[in-house]
Amino acid sequence: MAQNTSGIRAIFSHASVYNIAQRLVGAEKARTILVKDYFPKSESYRMLDIGCGTAEILRHLPYDLDYVGFDASATYITEACRQFGNRGTFKAELVREAILDQMQPFDLVLAFGLLHHLDDKEGETLFSLARQALKPGGKLITVDPVYVPDQRSLARWIISKDRGQNIRTAEAYQELALSHFTDIKVTVRHDMLHIPYSHLILECRK
């Protein structure tokens, strides 16, 4: 995983600082948009959240959701358990094939802000794991910063300061998805945060 945690970026390893920073830039708005426009309309489904962070997405989801969240940061998972311990299963580890073999398949897999931390090989592994985890007809959603021709210069500059070191063009993200999915919808949005920013949303159907 390619991630710059030097200098000022190191403070985001603390769960409370990370959450505050996320709220300041408008992450709650982004989560609201994501759930409203892209998530299943059903009140009951199984969801795997890969790279779930502190699992703040749960504030926007129905209570009868069957939720499993994985994150490599034990600090983030500790905070997720403290806030939402009765609403899901949380694991401080990376998702692996052996783990998925022990689980029932999911209707939805989410990777919010994860792909731009992964190199191409790691990204292809993510798509492989997501496909393995999904039920037939299930959907993977990825959300990441993106470089596109029509974005504001300030948005491009802000994105360039992200901890993730593999921010791509829309075409490059889609190329990764094509390693394991053929039914892919690509959306670029500039309206998900309070600050100038561009997101690439991939919807990959199994």
Side-chain angles (χ1 to χ4, degrees), residues 59 68 79 88 95 97 144 181 186 201:
R59 298 189 189 279
V68 179
E79 179 64 14
V95 180
E97 288 185 6
D144 288 276
F181 290 89
V186 181
I201 300 174

Side-chain angles (χ1 to χ4, degrees), residues 147-162:
Y147 291 129
V148 290
D150 60 340
Q151 73 192 140
R152 295 170 59 180
S153 57
L154 181 55
R156 179 174 285 263
W157 181 83
I158 293 172
I159 288 169
S160 73
K161 305 305 177 185
D162 194 280

